[in-house]
Structures are given as structure tokens and as C-alpha cells.
Amino acid sequence: MAAVALNWWSLFPRIVQYTNRHIQHNRRRSILPIATIAAGTLLVYAVLTLTETVKAQMAELSGTLSTSTAAAIEQSTVYIAAITLIVGALETAVIMTRSVLSRIQEVGILKATGVGDQVIFSLFVTEAVLYGLVGGIVGVILGWLTAVLVQLADGTSLSSALEPAWLNVLIAAGLATVVSAVAALLPIWRIVKLSAIQALYYQF
């Protein structure tokens, strides 16, 4: 059977439709990557926002802190933010890799029905991007709520605490989306190269 060959613009609506249908029919399996990405995004956004709060408080106390103490605190906040970014990225990468590898048999079925490698590759990348977007949005909302509560408990005014840090929103949500797509690329590339028989009988 000839492989499906369509240009990108005619293919994209079908890919989104297939991905949406897959997520709806496999809600339990879809919840785990979305929840994991959301948790990583929450951590990233909350830490970045609270790091900025710490820096602002340091600026107010600049006259009462020694230069070495201020430098140590600022350096610590930078390290914490960097570690949080790495942890959030690794968490997203691991769950997306596992999510892709757990569906090798599905790739075998698609290949056996004549679906081409480019289409299969596009399907999984689109799904990874959607997981990243949804998880990123949920994580940013939860991270914003967490940062608001912490800042209110620290004595920050309600208006200041409620104002979202838009740069941090872009960083956290963008990181979730990009890492989800990039983390899915390698396992997708590997399993797309398998034959239909190899994919159907692959043991994960």
C-alpha cells in the first residue's frame, strides 16, 4: 500500500484532529504528561517570580547589608533559578520520552495501514507541542497562584502580588512547550525508522 503523501497545509488539520481524538480517548494516559509538565512549569514560574521578589527586597535593604552578603544572596537566587529551570526541563523531557516510547505499537499499526513516516513524525511532534502548551498554561496559572500566596504571606500588597510577571510567564510556558517538542524528537525519530513488524512486536 502506498504511503500517505500530503503537503503540510492539507495535513495539519488532520494531524490536529487525530491528536485531539487520541487525547480524548486516552484521557488517563494523557493526564500524566500534562500533569508532570504543569508541575515543572509551576516550579519554574514560582521560583523565578519569588527570586525577583527577593532581589527587590535586597535593593531596599542595600544600605543595611554588606557588599559580600548582598552578593552571596544574589548569587544564591541565581543558582536556585538556574537549577529550577534545569529540573523543570529534565522532568518534562523524561515524561515526554516515556510517553512516545510507550506507543511504539501504535506506530506499527499506522505503518501497516500505509501511513508515511513524515505523517507519523508530524503526529507525535504535534501531540508533544500540545502537551507542552496545555501543561505550560496550567503550570503558569498554578505557579502564579503559588507566588501570590507566598508574597501575600510575606507582606506584599495585594495589587503587587496579583500582577503577573509576564516575562516569567513567557519563560515558563515557552520552556514547557519547547522542551516537550525537543524531548520527543529523538525517540520519535528512532521509532519512525522501525518497520511495521518491528514496531508491532517491539517490547518496551
Side-chain angles (χ1 to χ4, degrees):
M1 185 181 295
V4 176
L6 297 170
N7 65 64
W8 171 251
W9 295 110
S10 61
L11 184 65
F12 183 71
R14 300 186 186 188
I15 290 175
V16 174
Q17 184 180 17
Y18 176 89
T19 303
N20 182 50
R21 209 164 46 232
H22 168 78
I23 292 175
Q24 288 183 353
H25 291 167
N26 300 273
R27 291 178 182 176
R28 288 186 178 180
R29 191 165 66 179
S30 300
I31 287 174
L32 179 59
I34 290 175
T36 305
I37 294 169
T41 308
L42 182 160
L43 184 65
V44 169
Y45 178 85
V47 169
L48 288 176
T49 302
L50 296 176
T51 297
E52 290 182 356
T53 302
V54 171
K55 288 183 177 180
Q57 292 175 344
M58 281 177 53
E60 294 177 359
L61 298 173
S62 58
T64 60
L65 293 176
S66 65
T67 304
S68 58
T69 301
I73 295 174
E74 184 171 358
Q75 193 173 36
S76 298
T77 57
V78 171
Y79 286 155
I80 292 171
I83 291 170
T84 303
L85 287 171
I86 294 171
V87 170
L90 289 176
E91 187 178 18
T92 301
V94 169
I95 196 64
M96 284 310 305
T97 301
R98 183 173 181 81
S99 176
V100 171
L101 292 177
S102 67
R103 293 172 58 195
I104 294 181
Q105 280 75 21
E106 183 180 338
V107 173
I109 294 172
L110 291 171
K111 281 179 169 284
T113 56
V115 181
D117 291 352
Q118 181 183 1
V119 179
I120 296 173
F121 188 83
S122 300
L123 284 172
F124 279 83
V125 171
T126 302
E127 183 176 328
V129 170
L130 288 177
Y131 279 150
L133 282 172
V134 175
I137 291 170
V138 173
V140 165
I141 293 171
L142 294 177
W144 172 73
L145 290 173
T146 302
V148 168
L149 293 175
V150 172
Q151 289 179 86
L152 289 176
D154 194 43
T156 305
S157 65
L158 181 61
S159 59
S160 298
L162 289 176
E163 185 177 354
W166 294 111
L167 178 59
N168 295 341
V169 169
L170 291 175
I171 292 174
L175 182 72
T177 305
V178 172
V179 172
S180 296
V182 171
L185 288 178
L186 181 59
I188 292 170
W189 182 257
R190 286 175 54 193
I191 64 178
V192 162
K193 293 302 178 183
L194 298 174
S195 67
I197 298 298
Q198 287 175 319
L200 284 169
Y201 291 96
Y202 189 93
Q203 297 295 321
F204 171 64

PDB file of all heavy atoms in Angstrom, residues 93-133:
ATOM      1  N   ALA A  93      11.323  16.465  29.829  1.00  0.00           N
ATOM      2  CA  ALA A  93      11.980  15.626  28.832  1.00  0.00           C
ATOM      3  C   ALA A  93      11.772  14.138  29.119  1.00  0.00           C
ATOM      4  O   ALA A  93      11.476  13.353  28.209  1.00  0.00           O
ATOM      5  CB  ALA A  93      13.477  15.945  28.786  1.00  0.00           C
ATOM      6  N   VAL A  94      11.912  13.749  30.372  1.00  0.00           N
ATOM      7  CA  VAL A  94      11.765  12.332  30.743  1.00  0.00           C
ATOM      8  C   VAL A  94      10.349  11.841  30.477  1.00  0.00           C
ATOM      9  O   VAL A  94      10.145  10.773  29.888  1.00  0.00           O
ATOM     10  CB  VAL A  94      12.136  12.127  32.232  1.00  0.00           C
ATOM     11  CG1 VAL A  94      11.727  10.730  32.695  1.00  0.00           C
ATOM     12  CG2 VAL A  94      13.624  12.319  32.438  1.00  0.00           C
ATOM     13  N   ILE A  95       9.351  12.607  30.881  1.00  0.00           N
ATOM     14  CA  ILE A  95       7.968  12.151  30.724  1.00  0.00           C
ATOM     15  C   ILE A  95       7.562  12.113  29.252  1.00  0.00           C
ATOM     16  O   ILE A  95       6.824  11.228  28.819  1.00  0.00           O
ATOM     17  CB  ILE A  95       6.994  13.029  31.548  1.00  0.00           C
ATOM     18  CG1 ILE A  95       5.645  12.314  31.696  1.00  0.00           C
ATOM     19  CG2 ILE A  95       6.799  14.378  30.911  1.00  0.00           C
ATOM     20  CD1 ILE A  95       5.685  11.032  32.472  1.00  0.00           C
ATOM     21  N   MET A  96       8.068  13.055  28.437  1.00  0.00           N
ATOM     22  CA  MET A  96       7.726  13.044  27.016  1.00  0.00           C
ATOM     23  C   MET A  96       8.402  11.880  26.299  1.00  0.00           C
ATOM     24  O   MET A  96       7.807  11.245  25.432  1.00  0.00           O
ATOM     25  CB  MET A  96       8.118  14.368  26.363  1.00  0.00           C
ATOM     26  CG  MET A  96       7.182  15.521  26.678  1.00  0.00           C
ATOM     27  SD  MET A  96       5.427  15.154  26.408  1.00  0.00           S
ATOM     28  CE  MET A  96       5.429  14.601  24.709  1.00  0.00           C
ATOM     29  N   THR A  97       9.647  11.575  26.668  1.00  0.00           N
ATOM     30  CA  THR A  97      10.341  10.425  26.074  1.00  0.00           C
ATOM     31  C   THR A  97       9.602   9.134  26.388  1.00  0.00           C
ATOM     32  O   THR A  97       9.381   8.296  25.511  1.00  0.00           O
ATOM     33  CB  THR A  97      11.785  10.338  26.612  1.00  0.00           C
ATOM     34  OG1 THR A  97      12.478  11.542  26.288  1.00  0.00           O
ATOM     35  CG2 THR A  97      12.511   9.163  26.004  1.00  0.00           C
ATOM     36  N   ARG A  98       9.193   8.981  27.633  1.00  0.00           N
ATOM     37  CA  ARG A  98       8.453   7.775  28.034  1.00  0.00           C
ATOM     38  C   ARG A  98       7.103   7.705  27.329  1.00  0.00           C
ATOM     39  O   ARG A  98       6.660   6.628  26.909  1.00  0.00           O
ATOM     40  CB  ARG A  98       8.266   7.770  29.549  1.00  0.00           C
ATOM     41  CG  ARG A  98       7.575   6.509  30.055  1.00  0.00           C
ATOM     42  CD  ARG A  98       7.556   6.447  31.565  1.00  0.00           C
ATOM     43  NE  ARG A  98       6.908   5.225  32.013  1.00  0.00           N
ATOM     44  CZ  ARG A  98       7.476   4.041  32.074  1.00  0.00           C
ATOM     45  NH1 ARG A  98       8.753   3.914  31.703  1.00  0.00           N
ATOM     46  NH2 ARG A  98       6.824   2.972  32.476  1.00  0.00           N
ATOM     47  N   SER A  99       6.446   8.837  27.199  1.00  0.00           N
ATOM     48  CA  SER A  99       5.136   8.870  26.543  1.00  0.00           C
ATOM     49  C   SER A  99       5.229   8.412  25.088  1.00  0.00           C
ATOM     50  O   SER A  99       4.377   7.662  24.608  1.00  0.00           O
ATOM     51  CB  SER A  99       4.555  10.287  26.613  1.00  0.00           C
ATOM     52  OG  SER A  99       3.335  10.373  25.918  1.00  0.00           O
ATOM     53  N   VAL A 100       6.284   8.848  24.396  1.00  0.00           N
ATOM     54  CA  VAL A 100       6.467   8.458  22.995  1.00  0.00           C
ATOM     55  C   VAL A 100       6.803   6.972  22.879  1.00  0.00           C
ATOM     56  O   VAL A 100       6.213   6.245  22.076  1.00  0.00           O
ATOM     57  CB  VAL A 100       7.574   9.307  22.344  1.00  0.00           C
ATOM     58  CG1 VAL A 100       7.934   8.770  20.967  1.00  0.00           C
ATOM     59  CG2 VAL A 100       7.132  10.756  22.233  1.00  0.00           C
ATOM     60  N   LEU A 101       7.754   6.502  23.688  1.00  0.00           N
ATOM     61  CA  LEU A 101       8.194   5.112  23.595  1.00  0.00           C
ATOM     62  C   LEU A 101       7.095   4.118  23.952  1.00  0.00           C
ATOM     63  O   LEU A 101       7.103   2.983  23.481  1.00  0.00           O
ATOM     64  CB  LEU A 101       9.412   4.886  24.500  1.00  0.00           C
ATOM     65  CG  LEU A 101      10.703   5.595  24.074  1.00  0.00           C
ATOM     66  CD1 LEU A 101      11.809   5.350  25.091  1.00  0.00           C
ATOM     67  CD2 LEU A 101      11.143   5.129  22.697  1.00  0.00           C
ATOM     68  N   SER A 102       6.141   4.547  24.788  1.00  0.00           N
ATOM     69  CA  SER A 102       5.062   3.636  25.190  1.00  0.00           C
ATOM     70  C   SER A 102       4.052   3.398  24.071  1.00  0.00           C
ATOM     71  O   SER A 102       3.151   2.563  24.225  1.00  0.00           O
ATOM     72  CB  SER A 102       4.347   4.196  26.430  1.00  0.00           C
ATOM     73  OG  SER A 102       3.654   5.396  26.107  1.00  0.00           O
ATOM     74  N   ARG A 103       4.204   4.106  22.942  1.00  0.00           N
ATOM     75  CA  ARG A 103       3.219   3.994  21.858  1.00  0.00           C
ATOM     76  C   ARG A 103       3.836   3.459  20.571  1.00  0.00           C
ATOM     77  O   ARG A 103       3.371   3.727  19.468  1.00  0.00           O
ATOM     78  CB  ARG A 103       2.586   5.367  21.605  1.00  0.00           C
ATOM     79  CG  ARG A 103       1.739   5.844  22.772  1.00  0.00           C
ATOM     80  CD  ARG A 103       1.286   7.261  22.583  1.00  0.00           C
ATOM     81  NE  ARG A 103       0.520   7.408  21.345  1.00  0.00           N
ATOM     82  CZ  ARG A 103       0.249   8.582  20.789  1.00  0.00           C
ATOM     83  NH1 ARG A 103       0.691   9.691  21.353  1.00  0.00           N
ATOM     84  NH2 ARG A 103      -0.449   8.647  19.677  1.00  0.00           N
ATOM     85  N   ILE A 104       4.879   2.645  20.722  1.00  0.00           N
ATOM     86  CA  ILE A 104       5.544   2.100  19.539  1.00  0.00           C
ATOM     87  C   ILE A 104       4.605   1.200  18.740  1.00  0.00           C
ATOM     88  O   ILE A 104       4.607   1.217  17.510  1.00  0.00           O
ATOM     89  CB  ILE A 104       6.818   1.333  19.956  1.00  0.00           C
ATOM     90  CG1 ILE A 104       7.830   2.316  20.551  1.00  0.00           C
ATOM     91  CG2 ILE A 104       7.426   0.595  18.769  1.00  0.00           C
ATOM     92  CD1 ILE A 104       9.128   1.686  20.971  1.00  0.00           C
ATOM     93  N   GLN A 105       3.786   0.393  19.454  1.00  0.00           N
ATOM     94  CA  GLN A 105       2.858  -0.481  18.741  1.00  0.00           C
ATOM     95  C   GLN A 105       1.872   0.318  17.885  1.00  0.00           C
ATOM     96  O   GLN A 105       1.488  -0.121  16.802  1.00  0.00           O
ATOM     97  CB  GLN A 105       2.080  -1.367  19.730  1.00  0.00           C
ATOM     98  CG  GLN A 105       2.846  -2.583  20.234  1.00  0.00           C
ATOM     99  CD  GLN A 105       3.899  -2.225  21.257  1.00  0.00           C
ATOM    100  OE1 GLN A 105       3.818  -1.165  21.875  1.00  0.00           O
ATOM    101  NE2 GLN A 105       4.885  -3.088  21.439  1.00  0.00           N
ATOM    102  N   GLU A 106       1.489   1.489  18.367  1.00  0.00           N
ATOM    103  CA  GLU A 106       0.594   2.350  17.588  1.00  0.00           C
ATOM    104  C   GLU A 106       1.269   2.799  16.287  1.00  0.00           C
ATOM    105  O   GLU A 106       0.618   2.883  15.238  1.00  0.00           O
ATOM    106  CB  GLU A 106       0.206   3.576  18.416  1.00  0.00           C
ATOM    107  CG  GLU A 106      -0.777   4.507  17.720  1.00  0.00           C
ATOM    108  CD  GLU A 106      -1.139   5.708  18.553  1.00  0.00           C
ATOM    109  OE1 GLU A 106      -0.996   5.653  19.795  1.00  0.00           O
ATOM    110  OE2 GLU A 106      -1.568   6.719  17.974  1.00  0.00           O
ATOM    111  N   VAL A 107       2.577   3.045  16.369  1.00  0.00           N
ATOM    112  CA  VAL A 107       3.330   3.401  15.161  1.00  0.00           C
ATOM    113  C   VAL A 107       3.301   2.240  14.175  1.00  0.00           C
ATOM    114  O   VAL A 107       3.159   2.436  12.960  1.00  0.00           O
ATOM    115  CB  VAL A 107       4.783   3.775  15.516  1.00  0.00           C
ATOM    116  CG1 VAL A 107       5.620   3.972  14.255  1.00  0.00           C
ATOM    117  CG2 VAL A 107       4.803   5.043  16.357  1.00  0.00           C
ATOM    118  N   GLY A 108       3.440   1.010  14.685  1.00  0.00           N
ATOM    119  CA  GLY A 108       3.391  -0.169  13.825  1.00  0.00           C
ATOM    120  C   GLY A 108       2.058  -0.288  13.104  1.00  0.00           C
ATOM    121  O   GLY A 108       2.005  -0.626  11.914  1.00  0.00           O
ATOM    122  N   ILE A 109       0.971  -0.006  13.825  1.00  0.00           N
ATOM    123  CA  ILE A 109      -0.361  -0.071  13.211  1.00  0.00           C
ATOM    124  C   ILE A 109      -0.500   0.983  12.120  1.00  0.00           C
ATOM    125  O   ILE A 109      -1.016   0.719  11.034  1.00  0.00           O
ATOM    126  CB  ILE A 109      -1.454   0.117  14.294  1.00  0.00           C
ATOM    127  CG1 ILE A 109      -1.434  -1.059  15.274  1.00  0.00           C
ATOM    128  CG2 ILE A 109      -2.831   0.250  13.650  1.00  0.00           C
ATOM    129  CD1 ILE A 109      -2.326  -0.875  16.470  1.00  0.00           C
ATOM    130  N   LEU A 110      -0.024   2.212  12.415  1.00  0.00           N
ATOM    131  CA  LEU A 110      -0.091   3.284  11.416  1.00  0.00           C
ATOM    132  C   LEU A 110       0.713   2.927  10.170  1.00  0.00           C
ATOM    133  O   LEU A 110       0.266   3.138   9.036  1.00  0.00           O
ATOM    134  CB  LEU A 110       0.425   4.595  12.024  1.00  0.00           C
ATOM    135  CG  LEU A 110      -0.451   5.239  13.099  1.00  0.00           C
ATOM    136  CD1 LEU A 110       0.285   6.397  13.764  1.00  0.00           C
ATOM    137  CD2 LEU A 110      -1.768   5.726  12.510  1.00  0.00           C
ATOM    138  N   LYS A 111       1.913   2.366  10.376  1.00  0.00           N
ATOM    139  CA  LYS A 111       2.736   1.971   9.237  1.00  0.00           C
ATOM    140  C   LYS A 111       2.075   0.853   8.431  1.00  0.00           C
ATOM    141  O   LYS A 111       2.105   0.862   7.195  1.00  0.00           O
ATOM    142  CB  LYS A 111       4.115   1.523   9.726  1.00  0.00           C
ATOM    143  CG  LYS A 111       5.077   2.653  10.069  1.00  0.00           C
ATOM    144  CD  LYS A 111       6.397   2.095  10.576  1.00  0.00           C
ATOM    145  CE  LYS A 111       7.444   3.200  10.672  1.00  0.00           C
ATOM    146  NZ  LYS A 111       7.974   3.577   9.356  1.00  0.00           N
ATOM    147  N   ALA A 112       1.465  -0.091   9.140  1.00  0.00           N
ATOM    148  CA  ALA A 112       0.827  -1.223   8.460  1.00  0.00           C
ATOM    149  C   ALA A 112      -0.365  -0.783   7.616  1.00  0.00           C
ATOM    150  O   ALA A 112      -0.708  -1.451   6.634  1.00  0.00           O
ATOM    151  CB  ALA A 112       0.385  -2.267   9.488  1.00  0.00           C
ATOM    152  N   THR A 113      -0.981   0.323   7.992  1.00  0.00           N
ATOM    153  CA  THR A 113      -2.123   0.826   7.220  1.00  0.00           C
ATOM    154  C   THR A 113      -1.697   1.806   6.124  1.00  0.00           C
ATOM    155  O   THR A 113      -2.546   2.406   5.465  1.00  0.00           O
ATOM    156  CB  THR A 113      -3.145   1.517   8.144  1.00  0.00           C
ATOM    157  OG1 THR A 113      -2.484   2.553   8.881  1.00  0.00           O
ATOM    158  CG2 THR A 113      -3.758   0.517   9.119  1.00  0.00           C
ATOM    159  N   GLY A 114      -0.380   1.984   5.956  1.00  0.00           N
ATOM    160  CA  GLY A 114       0.111   2.787   4.846  1.00  0.00           C
ATOM    161  C   GLY A 114       0.426   4.227   5.166  1.00  0.00           C
ATOM    162  O   GLY A 114       0.686   5.021   4.247  1.00  0.00           O
ATOM    163  N   VAL A 115       0.424   4.613   6.438  1.00  0.00           N
ATOM    164  CA  VAL A 115       0.747   5.999   6.811  1.00  0.00           C
ATOM    165  C   VAL A 115       2.257   6.202   6.707  1.00  0.00           C
ATOM    166  O   VAL A 115       3.039   5.391   7.205  1.00  0.00           O
ATOM    167  CB  VAL A 115       0.265   6.321   8.239  1.00  0.00           C
ATOM    168  CG1 VAL A 115       0.593   7.750   8.599  1.00  0.00           C
ATOM    169  CG2 VAL A 115      -1.231   6.077   8.344  1.00  0.00           C
ATOM    170  N   GLY A 116       2.661   7.275   6.055  1.00  0.00           N
ATOM    171  CA  GLY A 116       4.080   7.536   5.826  1.00  0.00           C
ATOM    172  C   GLY A 116       4.816   8.019   7.069  1.00  0.00           C
ATOM    173  O   GLY A 116       4.215   8.493   8.037  1.00  0.00           O
ATOM    174  N   ASP A 117       6.148   7.914   7.021  1.00  0.00           N
ATOM    175  CA  ASP A 117       6.988   8.312   8.155  1.00  0.00           C
ATOM    176  C   ASP A 117       6.821   9.789   8.500  1.00  0.00           C
ATOM    177  O   ASP A 117       6.784  10.162   9.675  1.00  0.00           O
ATOM    178  CB  ASP A 117       8.462   8.041   7.839  1.00  0.00           C
ATOM    179  CG  ASP A 117       8.776   6.555   7.771  1.00  0.00           C
ATOM    180  OD1 ASP A 117       7.897   5.741   8.118  1.00  0.00           O
ATOM    181  OD2 ASP A 117       9.897   6.209   7.362  1.00  0.00           O
ATOM    182  N   GLN A 118       6.721  10.649   7.475  1.00  0.00           N
ATOM    183  CA  GLN A 118       6.588  12.087   7.718  1.00  0.00           C
ATOM    184  C   GLN A 118       5.296  12.401   8.469  1.00  0.00           C
ATOM    185  O   GLN A 118       5.273  13.252   9.361  1.00  0.00           O
ATOM    186  CB  GLN A 118       6.616  12.839   6.385  1.00  0.00           C
ATOM    187  CG  GLN A 118       6.515  14.357   6.544  1.00  0.00           C
ATOM    188  CD  GLN A 118       6.480  15.084   5.212  1.00  0.00           C
ATOM    189  OE1 GLN A 118       6.518  14.462   4.162  1.00  0.00           O
ATOM    190  NE2 GLN A 118       6.398  16.403   5.265  1.00  0.00           N
ATOM    191  N   VAL A 119       4.227  11.690   8.114  1.00  0.00           N
ATOM    192  CA  VAL A 119       2.939  11.910   8.782  1.00  0.00           C
ATOM    193  C   VAL A 119       3.012  11.467  10.234  1.00  0.00           C
ATOM    194  O   VAL A 119       2.558  12.171  11.138  1.00  0.00           O
ATOM    195  CB  VAL A 119       1.812  11.157   8.050  1.00  0.00           C
ATOM    196  CG1 VAL A 119       0.481  11.357   8.758  1.00  0.00           C
ATOM    197  CG2 VAL A 119       1.714  11.611   6.603  1.00  0.00           C
ATOM    198  N   ILE A 120       3.586  10.296  10.461  1.00  0.00           N
ATOM    199  CA  ILE A 120       3.709   9.777  11.835  1.00  0.00           C
ATOM    200  C   ILE A 120       4.570  10.718  12.671  1.00  0.00           C
ATOM    201  O   ILE A 120       4.235  11.037  13.819  1.00  0.00           O
ATOM    202  CB  ILE A 120       4.322   8.360  11.819  1.00  0.00           C
ATOM    203  CG1 ILE A 120       3.379   7.388  11.100  1.00  0.00           C
ATOM    204  CG2 ILE A 120       4.589   7.876  13.245  1.00  0.00           C
ATOM    205  CD1 ILE A 120       3.972   6.021  10.885  1.00  0.00           C
ATOM    206  N   PHE A 121       5.675  11.168  12.095  1.00  0.00           N
ATOM    207  CA  PHE A 121       6.563  12.105  12.797  1.00  0.00           C
ATOM    208  C   PHE A 121       5.806  13.373  13.173  1.00  0.00           C
ATOM    209  O   PHE A 121       5.886  13.857  14.308  1.00  0.00           O
ATOM    210  CB  PHE A 121       7.757  12.431  11.903  1.00  0.00           C
ATOM    211  CG  PHE A 121       8.828  13.224  12.579  1.00  0.00           C
ATOM    212  CD1 PHE A 121       9.789  12.599  13.364  1.00  0.00           C
ATOM    213  CD2 PHE A 121       8.885  14.602  12.437  1.00  0.00           C
ATOM    214  CE1 PHE A 121      10.782  13.332  13.985  1.00  0.00           C
ATOM    215  CE2 PHE A 121       9.878  15.343  13.048  1.00  0.00           C
ATOM    216  CZ  PHE A 121      10.829  14.704  13.825  1.00  0.00           C
ATOM    217  N   SER A 122       5.036  13.898  12.232  1.00  0.00           N
ATOM    218  CA  SER A 122       4.267  15.126  12.476  1.00  0.00           C
ATOM    219  C   SER A 122       3.206  14.919  13.547  1.00  0.00           C
ATOM    220  O   SER A 122       2.953  15.806  14.369  1.00  0.00           O
ATOM    221  CB  SER A 122       3.609  15.603  11.178  1.00  0.00           C
ATOM    222  OG  SER A 122       4.569  15.882  10.192  1.00  0.00           O
ATOM    223  N   LEU A 123       2.582  13.742  13.556  1.00  0.00           N
ATOM    224  CA  LEU A 123       1.559  13.440  14.562  1.00  0.00           C
ATOM    225  C   LEU A 123       2.121  13.526  15.972  1.00  0.00           C
ATOM    226  O   LEU A 123       1.549  14.175  16.853  1.00  0.00           O
ATOM    227  CB  LEU A 123       0.986  12.035  14.327  1.00  0.00           C
ATOM    228  CG  LEU A 123       0.002  11.844  13.185  1.00  0.00           C
ATOM    229  CD1 LEU A 123      -0.298  10.365  12.981  1.00  0.00           C
ATOM    230  CD2 LEU A 123      -1.288  12.596  13.461  1.00  0.00           C
ATOM    231  N   PHE A 124       3.269  12.889  16.181  1.00  0.00           N
ATOM    232  CA  PHE A 124       3.831  12.827  17.529  1.00  0.00           C
ATOM    233  C   PHE A 124       4.419  14.169  17.968  1.00  0.00           C
ATOM    234  O   PHE A 124       4.318  14.534  19.138  1.00  0.00           O
ATOM    235  CB  PHE A 124       4.893  11.724  17.602  1.00  0.00           C
ATOM    236  CG  PHE A 124       4.312  10.352  17.773  1.00  0.00           C
ATOM    237  CD1 PHE A 124       3.849   9.642  16.683  1.00  0.00           C
ATOM    238  CD2 PHE A 124       4.205   9.779  19.026  1.00  0.00           C
ATOM    239  CE1 PHE A 124       3.302   8.386  16.827  1.00  0.00           C
ATOM    240  CE2 PHE A 124       3.662   8.521  19.196  1.00  0.00           C
ATOM    241  CZ  PHE A 124       3.204   7.812  18.092  1.00  0.00           C
ATOM    242  N   VAL A 125       5.025  14.894  17.041  1.00  0.00           N
ATOM    243  CA  VAL A 125       5.556  16.218  17.395  1.00  0.00           C
ATOM    244  C   VAL A 125       4.415  17.161  17.758  1.00  0.00           C
ATOM    245  O   VAL A 125       4.499  17.929  18.727  1.00  0.00           O
ATOM    246  CB  VAL A 125       6.392  16.800  16.236  1.00  0.00           C
ATOM    247  CG1 VAL A 125       6.752  18.255  16.516  1.00  0.00           C
ATOM    248  CG2 VAL A 125       7.660  15.983  16.031  1.00  0.00           C
ATOM    249  N   THR A 126       3.319  17.118  16.969  1.00  0.00           N
ATOM    250  CA  THR A 126       2.156  17.966  17.267  1.00  0.00           C
ATOM    251  C   THR A 126       1.585  17.641  18.640  1.00  0.00           C
ATOM    252  O   THR A 126       1.249  18.541  19.419  1.00  0.00           O
ATOM    253  CB  THR A 126       1.060  17.780  16.200  1.00  0.00           C
ATOM    254  OG1 THR A 126       1.599  18.098  14.918  1.00  0.00           O
ATOM    255  CG2 THR A 126      -0.139  18.676  16.486  1.00  0.00           C
ATOM    256  N   GLU A 127       1.509  16.355  18.947  1.00  0.00           N
ATOM    257  CA  GLU A 127       0.992  15.952  20.261  1.00  0.00           C
ATOM    258  C   GLU A 127       1.908  16.449  21.379  1.00  0.00           C
ATOM    259  O   GLU A 127       1.430  16.932  22.415  1.00  0.00           O
ATOM    260  CB  GLU A 127       0.869  14.430  20.330  1.00  0.00           C
ATOM    261  CG  GLU A 127       0.263  13.939  21.629  1.00  0.00           C
ATOM    262  CD  GLU A 127       0.060  12.436  21.639  1.00  0.00           C
ATOM    263  OE1 GLU A 127      -0.210  11.872  20.558  1.00  0.00           O
ATOM    264  OE2 GLU A 127       0.168  11.847  22.723  1.00  0.00           O
ATOM    265  N   ALA A 128       3.223  16.350  21.169  1.00  0.00           N
ATOM    266  CA  ALA A 128       4.171  16.820  22.184  1.00  0.00           C
ATOM    267  C   ALA A 128       4.025  18.321  22.408  1.00  0.00           C
ATOM    268  O   ALA A 128       4.066  18.795  23.555  1.00  0.00           O
ATOM    269  CB  ALA A 128       5.601  16.481  21.755  1.00  0.00           C
ATOM    270  N   VAL A 129       3.851  19.072  21.329  1.00  0.00           N
ATOM    271  CA  VAL A 129       3.674  20.517  21.454  1.00  0.00           C
ATOM    272  C   VAL A 129       2.386  20.848  22.204  1.00  0.00           C
ATOM    273  O   VAL A 129       2.356  21.734  23.066  1.00  0.00           O
ATOM    274  CB  VAL A 129       3.670  21.193  20.059  1.00  0.00           C
ATOM    275  CG1 VAL A 129       3.251  22.652  20.164  1.00  0.00           C
ATOM    276  CG2 VAL A 129       5.044  21.086  19.415  1.00  0.00           C
ATOM    277  N   LEU A 130       1.302  20.117  21.896  1.00  0.00           N
ATOM    278  CA  LEU A 130       0.026  20.351  22.589  1.00  0.00           C
ATOM    279  C   LEU A 130       0.136  20.031  24.074  1.00  0.00           C
ATOM    280  O   LEU A 130      -0.385  20.767  24.920  1.00  0.00           O
ATOM    281  CB  LEU A 130      -1.088  19.518  21.944  1.00  0.00           C
ATOM    282  CG  LEU A 130      -1.547  19.984  20.559  1.00  0.00           C
ATOM    283  CD1 LEU A 130      -2.609  19.033  20.008  1.00  0.00           C
ATOM    284  CD2 LEU A 130      -2.110  21.399  20.626  1.00  0.00           C
ATOM    285  N   TYR A 131       0.819  18.930  24.395  1.00  0.00           N
ATOM    286  CA  TYR A 131       1.048  18.602  25.807  1.00  0.00           C
ATOM    287  C   TYR A 131       1.814  19.734  26.493  1.00  0.00           C
ATOM    288  O   TYR A 131       1.494  20.132  27.621  1.00  0.00           O
ATOM    289  CB  TYR A 131       1.856  17.302  25.935  1.00  0.00           C
ATOM    290  CG  TYR A 131       1.052  16.044  25.793  1.00  0.00           C
ATOM    291  CD1 TYR A 131       1.631  14.879  25.270  1.00  0.00           C
ATOM    292  CD2 TYR A 131      -0.278  15.981  26.198  1.00  0.00           C
ATOM    293  CE1 TYR A 131       0.905  13.707  25.144  1.00  0.00           C
ATOM    294  CE2 TYR A 131      -1.013  14.812  26.069  1.00  0.00           C
ATOM    295  CZ  TYR A 131      -0.410  13.687  25.542  1.00  0.00           C
ATOM    296  OH  TYR A 131      -1.136  12.528  25.423  1.00  0.00           O
ATOM    297  N   GLY A 132       2.845  20.236  25.815  1.00  0.00           N
ATOM    298  CA  GLY A 132       3.634  21.321  26.389  1.00  0.00           C
ATOM    299  C   GLY A 132       2.824  22.583  26.592  1.00  0.00           C
ATOM    300  O   GLY A 132       2.935  23.243  27.623  1.00  0.00           O
ATOM    301  N   LEU A 133       1.983  22.927  25.603  1.00  0.00           N
ATOM    302  CA  LEU A 133       1.152  24.127  25.712  1.00  0.00           C
ATOM    303  C   LEU A 133       0.153  24.014  26.859  1.00  0.00           C
ATOM    304  O   LEU A 133       0.034  24.924  27.688  1.00  0.00           O
ATOM    305  CB  LEU A 133       0.414  24.369  24.401  1.00  0.00           C
ATOM    306  CG  LEU A 133       1.217  25.002  23.263  1.00  0.00           C
ATOM    307  CD1 LEU A 133       0.394  25.000  21.980  1.00  0.00           C
ATOM    308  CD2 LEU A 133       1.630  26.418  23.621  1.00  0.00           C
TER     309      LEU A 133
END
